[in-house]
C-alpha cells in the first residue's frame, strides 16, 4: 500500500514503502549534522589564526590537536610559540628533540624552557640556539646549568628576556649584543658588577629592568641607559649595600628584607612613580639606625613623585619612625596608594604621610593581610605616648578616596578606617568609593561634614 509524504513545498509524493523513506531521510539528516560539525567555526579559520590560538596553550596540548582530523595534523608545526616544562619523565629529551625536528616556523615569537636537571645542559644549549635561529622575540629560561654559551649573548631579535637560575653564572666572555632587548628580568642569577655592566652596554634600548634576589651586585649604575624607564628590585640583602644610580628611570619598585647592608639611592631624579615595601620585619630590627639610614632616606629620594605606593610593612616601619620623633619629608604626590590592613600599627605612619602630602588628590586603600610586626608591641608604644592620630588628620586637597575591601577580616581595623573618614577636612567635597574584590559596593560623598550616599 503506497503512502503520501510531504516533499517540503506543500506537495505530496507517493512512496511505496514509507518506513524505508523515513529511514533514508534520517540518514541524510545525520550526514548533514556530521557535515555541519566538520565545518565548525574554529576549523574554518585560516591556519595562521589557528596557530595563534594554539600558541596560548601548552605545546603538548597544541600537539594533541593533530589527532582531530587531517585538517589539524600539521597546524601545530608552525605555531609562533613553544613551551617545554620538566615533568619528571625520562624521555623528555627525546620528546623535545622530536618536536623541534617537526617544527617548521621560520619566525618564533616566544620560547619558554623550564628544566631543573643539570645533566640536560648539552641539549639545553642546542634548544636555546634553535630558538635564537628562529629569531625569537620573547625568551624565558628557568634552568639548572652553570654556564650559558656565548651565542646566547649575541642576538638582535630578542625583545623580552627572563632568566631564573640559582646556579647559572651570567659572565659573557664576548661582547653582548642585545640590540632589540627592551625588558630584562633576572631571578636568583649569579651576576657581578663587571659582567652586568657589559650586559647593560650591549642593551642600548633597554626600557625595563627587573632584578629578583641578584644580591651579588654592589654597584647598579644605570646612568648610561637613557631609555631605561622602569626599575624593579626585590632583594634579601639590599644588593649587599649597592649604590643605585638611575637618573633616567620614571618608575621604581623596591621590596627588600631588613639586613645589615644599607644601600644608597644615589640618583633617581627623574622619578614620577614609586612603590615601596619591606618583605618581612620584626620589631627588634626596627632600630633607629635602620629607620634613619634606610627607610627615611628612601622617602627623601621619592618625595617628588606624583604616584606613591606604600606597603603594609613599610608603613609599620614609618609608624616606628614617627614614634621615635624622626622628621618626615614633604611629598608632592597627587595619588597615594596604601596596600595594608588598617590597624593601630600602621595608623601613625599613614597619618604622618597624609599630613606631609599637601597636594594629594586621590587616596586608595587596598586592604591586605600583613601582620609581620606584632601589633601588641606597637600598641604599648601608642599607649605610652598617649597618641591619637585622628586629632590631626586633615587632607584639604583630597578629591577621591577609594577603599578596596579584599580579604578583610579585621573588624577592629575596619572601625579604625571609619574613624579616619570624618577627620577629612570639612571644607572640601570628597568622593569615597567602597569596592569589594569583584564589584563596587557603594559610593559615598563626604560633603561639608556629612555623608551623601549613592547607589
Amino acid at each position: 500500500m503506497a503512502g503520501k509524504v510531504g516533499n517540503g513545498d506543500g506537495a505530496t509524493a507517493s512512496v511505496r514503502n514509507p518506513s524505508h523513506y523515513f529511514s533514508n531521510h534520517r540518514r541524510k539528516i545525520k550526514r548533514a549534522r556530521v557535515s555541519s560539525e566538520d565545518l565548525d567555526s574554529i576549523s574554518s579559520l585560516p591556519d595562521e589564526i589557528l596557530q595563534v590560538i594554539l600558541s596560548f596553550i601548552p605545546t603538548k596540548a597544541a600537539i594533541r590537536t593533530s589527532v582531530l582530523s587531517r585538517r589539524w595534523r600539521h597546524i601545530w608545526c608552525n605555531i609562533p610559540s613553544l613551551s617545554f616544562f620538566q615533568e619528571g619523565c625520562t624521555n623528555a629529551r627525546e620528546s623535545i628533540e622530536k618536536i623541534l625536528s617537526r617544527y617548521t616556523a621560520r619566525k618564533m615569537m616566544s620560547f619558554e624552557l623550564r628544566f631543573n636537571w643539570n645533566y640536560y645542559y648539552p641539549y639545553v644549549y642546542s634548544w636555546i640556539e634553535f630558538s635564537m635561529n628562529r629569531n625569537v622575540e620573547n625568551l624565558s629560561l628557568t634552568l639548572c646549568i652553570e654556564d650559558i654559551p656565548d651565542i646566547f649573548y649575541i642576538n638582535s631579535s630578542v625583545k623580552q628576556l627572563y632568566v631564573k637560575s640559582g646556579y647559572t653564572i651570567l659572565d659573557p666572555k664576548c661582547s653582548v649584543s642585545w640590540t632589540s632587548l627592551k625588558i630584562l628580568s633576572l631571578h636568583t642569577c649569579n651576576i657581578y658588577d663587571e659582567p652586568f655592566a657589559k650586559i647593560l652596554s650591549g642593551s642600548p634600548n633597554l626600557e625595563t629592568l627587573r632584578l629578583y634576589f641578584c644580591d651579588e651586585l654592589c654597584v647598579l649604575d644605570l646612568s648610561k641607559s637613557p631609555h631605561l624607564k622602569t626599575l624593579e628590585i626585590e632583594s634579601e640583602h639590599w644588593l649587599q649595600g649597592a649604590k643605585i644610580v638611575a637618573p633616567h628611570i620614571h618608575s621604581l619598585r623596591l621590596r627588600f628584607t631588613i639586613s645589615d647592608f644599607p644601600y644608597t639611592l644615589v640618583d633617581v631624579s627623574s622619578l614620577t612613580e614609586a612603590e615601596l615595601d619591606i618583605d618581612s620585619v620584626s620589631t627588634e630590627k626596627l632600630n633607629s639606625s635602620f629607620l634613619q639610614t634606610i627607610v627615611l632616606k628612601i622617602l627623601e629620594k621619592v618625595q617628588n613623585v606624583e604616584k606613591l605606593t606604600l606597603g603594609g610593612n613599610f608603613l609599620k616601619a614609618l609608624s616606628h619612625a614617627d614614634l621615635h620623633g624622626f622628621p618626615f619629608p614633604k611629598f608632592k604626590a597627587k595619588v597615594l596608594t596604601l596596600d595594608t590592613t588598617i590597624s593601630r600599627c600602621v595608623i601613625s605612619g599613614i597619618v604622618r604621610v597624609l599630613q606631609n602630602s599637601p597636594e594629594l588628590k586621590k587616596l586608595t586603600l587596598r586592604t591586605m593581610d600583613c601582620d609581620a610586626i606584632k601589633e601588641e608591641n606597637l600598641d604599648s608604644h601608642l599607649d605610652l605616648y598617649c597618641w591619637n592620630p585622628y586629632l590631626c588628620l586633615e587632607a584639604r586637597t583630597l578629591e577621591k578616596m577609594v577603599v578596596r575591601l579584599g580579604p578583610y577580616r579585621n573588624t577592629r581595623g575596619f572601625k579604625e578606617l571609619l574613624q579616619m573618614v570624618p577627620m577629612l577636612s570639612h571644607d572640601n567635597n570628597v568622593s569615597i568609593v567602597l569596592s569589594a574584590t569583584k564589584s563596587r559596593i557603594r559610593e559615598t560623598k563626604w560633603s561639608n561634614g556629612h555623608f551623601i550616599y549613592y547607589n
Side-chain angles (χ1 to χ4, degrees):
M1 180 177 179
K4 294 184 178 181
V5 182
N7 61 7
D9 57 359
T12 58
S14 297
V15 180
R16 291 184 178 276
N17 190 341
S19 62
H20 179 68
Y21 170 84
F22 284 112
S23 178
N24 289 337
H25 192 58
R26 282 194 296 269
R27 283 195 293 269
K28 290 180 180 180
I29 293 175
K30 185 176 180 180
R31 285 196 298 268
R33 185 181 296 118
V34 172
S35 177
S36 176
E37 291 175 353
D38 287 342
L39 296 176
D40 63 85
S41 58
I42 294 181
S43 294
S44 63
L45 294 172
D47 285 0
E48 292 79 7
I49 302 298
L50 292 176
Q51 288 155 4
V52 171
I53 294 174
L54 292 180
S55 68
F56 288 100
I57 63 176
T59 297
K60 283 192 173 183
I63 293 174
R64 291 191 186 102
T65 62
S66 61
V67 303
L68 295 177
S69 66
R70 291 184 180 179
R71 168 80 169 83
W72 288 85
R73 186 170 299 173
H74 302 290
I75 288 178
W76 73 267
C77 298
N78 207 36
I79 58 178
S81 300
L82 292 178
S83 57
F84 300 108
F85 311 110
Q86 176 185 319
E87 298 177 349
C89 55
T90 56
N91 63 342
R93 178 185 66 81
E94 292 83 356
S95 176
I96 293 176
E97 293 283 336
K98 183 177 180 180
I99 291 171
L100 295 182
S101 68
R102 296 183 59 189
Y103 189 72
T104 57
R106 296 182 179 180
K107 171 66 178 177
M108 185 182 291
M109 295 303 298
S110 67
F111 183 74
E112 184 174 7
L113 195 61
R114 296 186 193 175
F115 269 80
N116 294 323
W117 292 346
N118 56 5
Y119 55 80
Y120 272 147
Y121 73 90
Y123 306 104
V124 169
Y125 291 166
S126 65
W127 299 337
I128 294 174
E129 184 175 357
F130 180 91
S131 68
M132 300 182 80
N133 289 337
R134 293 298 196 282
N135 297 317
V136 63
E137 292 188 6
N138 188 346
L139 181 59
S140 179
L141 304 174
T142 301
L143 305 172
C144 182
I145 57 178
E146 294 183 358
D147 198 6
I148 296 181
D150 283 344
I151 189 174
F152 170 74
Y153 299 102
I154 304 173
N155 185 288
S156 60
S157 63
V158 64
K159 296 181 179 179
Q160 298 183 43
L161 175 61
Y162 174 87
V163 181
K164 178 179 181 181
S165 175
Y167 297 91
T168 301
I169 299 176
L170 295 181
D171 187 12
K173 303 299 187 295
C174 61
S175 297
V176 178
S177 180
W178 287 335
T179 54
S180 298
L181 186 64
K182 292 186 177 182
I183 301 176
L184 175 61
S185 302
L186 302 179
H187 196 302
T188 56
C189 291
N190 296 310
I191 185 168
Y192 297 88
D193 291 343
E194 186 176 347
F196 186 72
K198 186 180 291 188
I199 287 176
L200 288 178
S201 65
S203 310
N205 296 303
L206 190 64
E207 297 177 357
T208 299
L209 175 63
R210 301 186 179 109
L211 299 174
Y212 306 111
F213 310 107
C214 299
D215 297 325
E216 288 80 10
L217 293 170
C218 294
V219 177
L220 197 61
D221 187 354
L222 308 175
S223 59
K224 297 180 181 179
S225 301
H227 298 287
L228 186 62
K229 304 303 179 185
T230 301
L231 174 62
E232 297 183 10
I233 297 177
E234 289 194 20
S235 176
E236 291 184 351
H237 303 295
W238 274 118
L239 302 182
Q240 298 286 354
K243 292 179 173 60
I244 299 178
V245 183
H248 307 294
I249 65 171
H250 291 175
S251 176
L252 173 66
R253 179 178 177 270
L254 294 178
R255 185 180 180 91
F256 60 99
T257 301
I258 296 177
S259 72
D260 298 323
F261 302 96
Y263 82 108
T264 305
L265 283 178
V266 178
D267 187 357
V268 286
S269 53
S270 298
L271 276 185
T272 60
E273 182 176 353
E275 180 179 343
L276 309 172
D277 201 6
I278 302 173
D279 186 54
S280 62
V281 292
S282 63
T283 307
E284 294 75 17
K285 291 186 176 182
L286 286 177
N287 52 53
S288 298
S289 176
F290 174 77
L291 294 173
Q292 287 182 296
T293 60
I294 298 292
V295 176
L296 294 176
K297 288 292 184 182
I298 294 174
L299 287 184
E300 291 178 3
K301 290 296 184 179
V302 303
Q303 66 184 69
N304 294 323
V305 301
E306 295 182 0
K307 296 181 179 180
L308 180 60
T309 300
L310 301 177
N313 285 326
F314 198 89
L315 287 168
K316 291 175 182 179
L318 293 185
S319 294
H320 276 261
D322 182 49
L323 292 172
H324 281 83
F326 296 136
F328 280 49
K330 289 288 185 180
F331 302 102
K332 294 184 178 180
K334 293 180 173 60
V335 178
L336 176 63
T337 300
L338 307 176
D339 289 329
T340 180
T341 55
I342 304 300
S343 58
R344 295 191 75 191
C345 62
V346 298
I347 290 294
S348 176
I350 292 176
V351 171
R352 192 62 64 198
V353 171
L354 291 177
Q355 285 181 327
N356 287 28
S357 303
E359 302 178 26
L360 189 62
K361 299 292 184 182
K362 180 180 178 180
L363 172 63
T364 299
L365 298 175
R366 295 195 296 230
T367 59
M368 307 292 288
D369 288 330
C370 180
D371 294 312
I373 297 180
K374 293 182 179 180
E375 296 189 15
E376 60 269 18
N377 294 334
L378 191 57
D379 284 346
S380 62
H381 284 290
L382 291 169
D383 295 335
L384 178 64
Y385 281 77
C386 299
W387 183 82
N388 187 346
Y390 310 119
L391 296 179
C392 53
L393 175 58
E394 189 166 303
R396 294 184 178 277
T397 61
L398 191 65
E399 297 177 354
K400 188 170 186 177
M401 179 176 175
V402 179
V403 182
R404 302 191 183 280
L405 305 173
Y408 205 91
R409 301 181 180 90
N410 191 332
T411 304
R412 173 185 171 183
F414 191 73
K415 292 180 179 178
E416 299 269 2
L417 171 62
L418 294 180
Q419 291 177 12
M420 289 177 62
V421 175
M423 298 304 141
L424 300 171
S425 174
H426 290 203
D427 298 330
N428 65 337
N429 295 330
V430 180
S431 176
I432 302 174
V433 179
L434 302 179
S435 64
T437 303
K438 296 182 179 180
S439 62
R440 176 177 297 180
I441 299 175
R442 182 185 291 267
E443 181 171 346
T444 67
K445 190 170 184 179
W446 179 257
S447 178
N448 296 323
H450 298 85
F451 277 123
I452 303 173
Y453 294 93
Y454 298 90
N455 292 325

